[in-house]
Amino acid sequence: MKILLTGANGYIGMRLLPKLLEMGHQLVCAVRDEKRLSVDENTRSNIEVVEIDFLEDPTNQEVPSDIDAAYYLIHSMTSSVTDFDEKEAQAAKNFNTLLAKTQCEQVIYLSGIVNDKELSKHLSSRKNVEDILYQGSFQLTVLRAGIIVGSGSSSFEIIRDLCEKLPVMITPKWVLTKTQPIAIRDVIQFLTQVLGNKNTYNQSFDIGGPDVLTYKDMLHGYAKVRGFKNWIFTVPVMTPKLSSYWLYFVTSTSYKLATNLVDSMKMEVVAKDNQLQQMLGIETHTYEEAIDMAFKKIEQNLVISSWKDSIASGQIKKDLENYIQVPKYGVLQDKKSLPITNEKKVLKNIWSIGGETGWYYGNWLWKIRGFLDKLVGGPGLRRGRTHPDKIFPGDALDFWRVLLADKKRKRLLLFAEMKTPGEAWLEFKIEDGVLYQTATFRPKGLLGRLYWYSVLPFHLFIFGNMIKNIAKS
C-alpha cells in the first residue's frame, strides 16, 4: 500500500515510519523541510519525501496522486497560545484540498479524547479538525487517544521532571482530574491495525490504556516504578497562569505548551468504551508498564523521537535555510583553532556535545546562562538532546538548534535560540588536521554590542578551554 505520512518528523510520525516500512508499505513522507527528516541513509533510500506546508496555499503544492491511504498527524499546539486552533483548521482544509486530487481511500487521524460538554481550546480544536476531515473525499478513521506515555513524549518528560526534581510538591487542584494514559507502543499498534480496515471507515474511536488515573496517581505511579516516594499536596488557589509558569520553570516544557496543557488538564479525559480494542484484539499496557518501557528505551539509547526537537519548541523560524549561511559582515566573532591527531575521536566529541555530556568546560556557567534565559522566556537548557551521539539538522540541542550536521565534511553548525539582542551561531569543523571553533554574533543595535562585550571575558576562558577539551583524544 502506498501511504502518505504527514508530520513524518514529529514525535508520532518518527515512531510510525519504521513500523510501516517493516510492514512492507511504500511511504511518502510529507515534511515542511526535507533536511529536517531525522532518519538514517538506509531509511531515506526506502522512502519518498515531499516538502509540503499545509498552512500554505494548496494550489501551489501537490502530493502523489496514487496514494492509497494517509495519516494525518499535524497539530500546532506547541507553536501558539492564541491562534493554534485557527492554524489547525486551516491545515485540515488545505489537506482536504490536496487529497481531493488523489485516489486516497482512507485517512487516519490521531486526535484526543473529547468527552466533556465544555472542551478546552486544545481539545475543541482537535474536534473541529475531525469535523473538517470528515468533509474530505476519503473514508476517515479517527483515533482519540488519552495522554500518550513514552520516551520523549511531552507528557512523560513533564512527569519525569516533576517527580525527579520535586519529592514534595504543592500542586494545583487539576492534579485530581481523571485521565486514561496510553503507552506509545499501543498507540502505534492501533494506528497500524486500522489501516485498510473497512470496519473502521468513517468512525471515531476512543483509545486508552487499562488504567483510569488522576494526574496525582500518575505522579505517584512514576515514583513507584523508579523506586522512591513523593508527597503531593493540592491547593485551590493556583490560577491557570501560575500553573503554566510552574510547569514552565520546573519541567522541560515550553511556556506555550504549558499554557495549552494546563487548559486541557482541567477536563476529564476518559475513554467512553474499548470497542476498537476488542475489535482488533489489542492488549494494552498499564501506566506503570508504559513508564518502565520508556526507561528501558532511555537506558539503551533507543529514543527515536522527542517532542523537544519540534521547531516550535524554540525561537527559530521554520526554514533552516534562512540561518545556515553564517553572515560575514556586521558581525562579531570569536575564532579558535587547534591541531589534532585523532580526527575520529575529536569528531565523536563534537557530535556528543550538549545534553548529558555538557559543553566540555564551565558547565555550571552554561547552566546559569540557561536559567537566566528561561527567566526571560527562552528555552534554557531544558531540552537537552534526544540521542547522546547522533545529531540531525533541525534537532534541538539545549538552547541551540542544529542547522548542519555533516560528518563526511566534519562540520557541525548550531544556531542560538536563547534570548539575545542579536543572532548567534556556533560552528565546529575539522580541516587538514586542524579543529576550528567559531562563535559568530550579529548584534541588533547598540544593546547587542554591549551584550557581546559584556560576556567577552567569559568567552575568553570558556571557549578557549572548550576547544582544548574537545580536541583531546
Side-chain angles (χ1 to χ4, degrees):
M1 194 179 288
K2 191 169 185 178
I3 300 169
L4 176 69
L5 180 62
T6 68
N9 54 359
Y11 177 72
I12 300 293
M14 287 294 292
R15 306 292 175 114
L16 188 57
L17 191 159
K19 187 65 177 177
L20 292 172
L21 285 178
E22 183 184 307
M23 294 169 68
H25 296 295
Q26 186 179 352
L27 281 189
V28 179
C29 296
V31 292
R32 290 188 299 185
D33 185 348
E34 183 177 353
K35 297 181 182 65
R36 287 205 60 239
L37 188 57
S38 304
V39 295
D40 56 46
E41 291 182 7
N42 181 56
T43 300
R44 188 173 283 269
S45 66
N46 287 300
I47 60 176
E48 180 181 348
V49 182
V50 293
E51 288 189 342
I52 298 177
D53 187 339
F54 288 98
L55 291 175
E56 301 293 334
D57 185 354
T59 59
N60 299 322
Q61 305 181 96
E62 61 180 30
V63 297
S65 60
D66 58 343
I67 60 168
D68 303 302
Y71 283 93
Y72 191 81
L73 303 174
I74 300 168
H75 67 84
S76 302
M77 192 174 72
T78 59
S79 65
S80 170
V81 175
T82 55
D83 65 346
F84 71 86
D85 53 338
E86 296 172 14
K87 291 179 179 179
E88 290 187 339
Q90 188 59 53
K93 291 173 184 176
N94 291 343
F95 176 83
N96 282 356
T97 300
L98 284 166
L99 266 286
K101 306 172 188 176
T102 73
Q103 65 182 34
C104 181
E105 180 179 355
Q106 181 192 23
V107 168
I108 300 167
Y109 169 45
L110 182 63
S111 182
I113 294 176
V114 287
N115 59 354
D116 276 282
K117 292 180 180 178
E118 184 183 352
L119 297 175
S120 67
K121 189 173 182 178
H122 159 223
L123 292 176
S124 178
S125 177
R126 293 291 173 91
K127 181 63 171 66
N128 185 45
V129 167
E130 181 179 324
D131 294 339
I132 293 169
L133 293 177
Y134 266 119
Q135 298 168 22
S137 58
F138 41 76
Q139 311 298 318
L140 182 67
T141 301
V142 180
L143 301 182
R144 297 171 173 171
I147 287 177
I148 298 174
V149 180
S151 56
S153 75
S154 57
S155 302
F156 171 78
E157 295 298 340
I158 288 170
I159 291 168
R160 181 185 182 187
D161 281 345
L162 288 173
C163 293
E164 299 286 354
K165 294 176 181 177
L166 299 174
V168 179
M169 285 180 248
I170 307 297
T171 61
K173 61 182 179 181
W174 49 252
V175 297
L176 302 178
T177 304
K178 289 182 179 179
T179 185
Q180 193 165 353
I182 181 170
I184 180 63
R185 189 173 303 187
D186 297 333
V187 173
I188 299 302
Q189 262 202 293
F190 280 110
L191 285 169
T192 53
Q193 290 196 32
V194 297
L195 179 64
N197 188 329
K198 294 186 177 180
N199 293 326
T200 68
Y201 285 6
N202 290 325
Q203 291 194 68
S204 299
F205 303 93
D206 289 354
I207 59 172
D211 303 319
V212 175
L213 306 168
T214 65
Y215 291 104
K216 185 176 181 179
D217 293 333
M218 291 172 67
L219 294 169
H220 283 317
Y222 175 96
K224 180 181 176 183
V225 173
R226 294 288 286 152
F228 60 81
K229 288 187 177 182
N230 54 4
W231 292 265
I232 302 169
F233 304 94
T234 60
V235 293
V237 293
M238 197 174 287
T239 66
K241 192 165 187 176
L242 281 174
S243 295
S244 300
Y245 279 120
W246 181 69
L247 279 183
Y248 171 65
F249 280 110
V250 175
T251 74
S252 59
T253 187
S254 66
Y255 179 71
K256 293 172 185 176
L257 181 57
T259 299
N260 292 323
L261 286 174
V262 167
D263 187 39
S264 297
M265 284 171 171
K266 297 178 289 185
M267 310 296 171
E268 192 169 282
V269 181
V270 178
K272 296 183 185 72
D273 57 56
N274 61 351
Q275 175 189 353
L276 184 63
Q277 182 180 338
Q278 293 175 343
M279 182 192 304
L280 301 177
I282 293 175
E283 289 293 326
T284 56
H285 296 81
T286 67
Y287 170 71
E288 291 185 7
E289 287 172 339
I291 295 292
D292 186 57
M293 289 188 295
F295 269 99
K296 285 179 180 176
K297 290 288 185 184
I298 293 168
E299 289 162 3
Q300 297 171 40
N301 293 325
L302 295 176
V303 180
I304 298 173
S305 60
S306 171
W307 76 273
K308 290 177 282 189
D309 287 328
S310 163
I311 285 290
S313 76
Q315 310 296 323
I316 203 172
K317 302 297 185 294
K318 65 183 179 183
D319 190 356
L320 299 183
E321 290 293 335
N322 292 338
Y323 304 87
I324 204 165
Q325 294 298 325
V326 182
K328 296 180 180 179
Y329 304 103
V331 299
L332 300 164
Q333 288 188 317
D334 182 301
K335 292 185 175 182
K336 290 181 169 51
S337 62
L338 276 179
I340 57 175
T341 56
N342 188 338
E343 286 193 358
K344 186 176 180 181
K345 178 63 168 63
V346 174
L347 195 62
K348 182 180 179 182
N349 290 344
I350 294 171
W351 249 248
S352 302
I353 199 166
E356 293 295 323
T357 300
W359 292 86
Y360 292 103
Y361 184 78
N363 283 332
W364 63 277
L365 289 170
W366 287 93
K367 288 177 182 178
I368 290 173
R369 182 63 182 89
F371 175 73
L372 293 175
D373 184 57
K374 201 160 187 180
L375 284 178
V376 293
L381 297 182
R382 63 178 167 81
R383 299 181 305 192
R385 54 180 293 163
T386 301
H387 195 279
D389 57 14
K390 292 180 182 177
I391 307 177
F392 296 94
D395 283 359
L397 190 58
D398 290 332
F399 45 44
W400 301 87
R401 180 72 60 178
V402 180
L403 296 181
L404 180 70
D406 190 335
K407 268 197 169 181
K408 290 181 180 178
R409 291 168 55 197
K410 303 167 189 173
R411 184 181 176 213
L412 176 66
L413 178 63
L414 310 176
F415 180 81
E417 293 191 304
M418 65 191 87
K419 295 281 189 178
T420 62
E423 297 168 319
W425 291 259
L426 182 60
E427 180 179 13
F428 302 93
K429 64 180 179 180
I430 299 173
E431 289 182 349
D432 300 322
V434 179
L435 169 63
Y436 294 92
Q437 174 186 287
T438 306
T440 302
F441 185 69
R442 181 162 60 187
K444 292 182 179 178
L446 178 60
L447 183 61
R449 290 183 175 276
L450 289 173
Y451 168 80
W452 172 265
Y453 289 113
S454 69
V455 298
L456 194 57
F458 296 100
H459 286 180
L460 291 174
F461 65 89
I462 289 177
F463 286 147
N465 286 289
M466 183 165 73
I467 190 172
K468 288 177 184 177
N469 289 330
I470 291 174
K472 286 180 180 177
S473 57

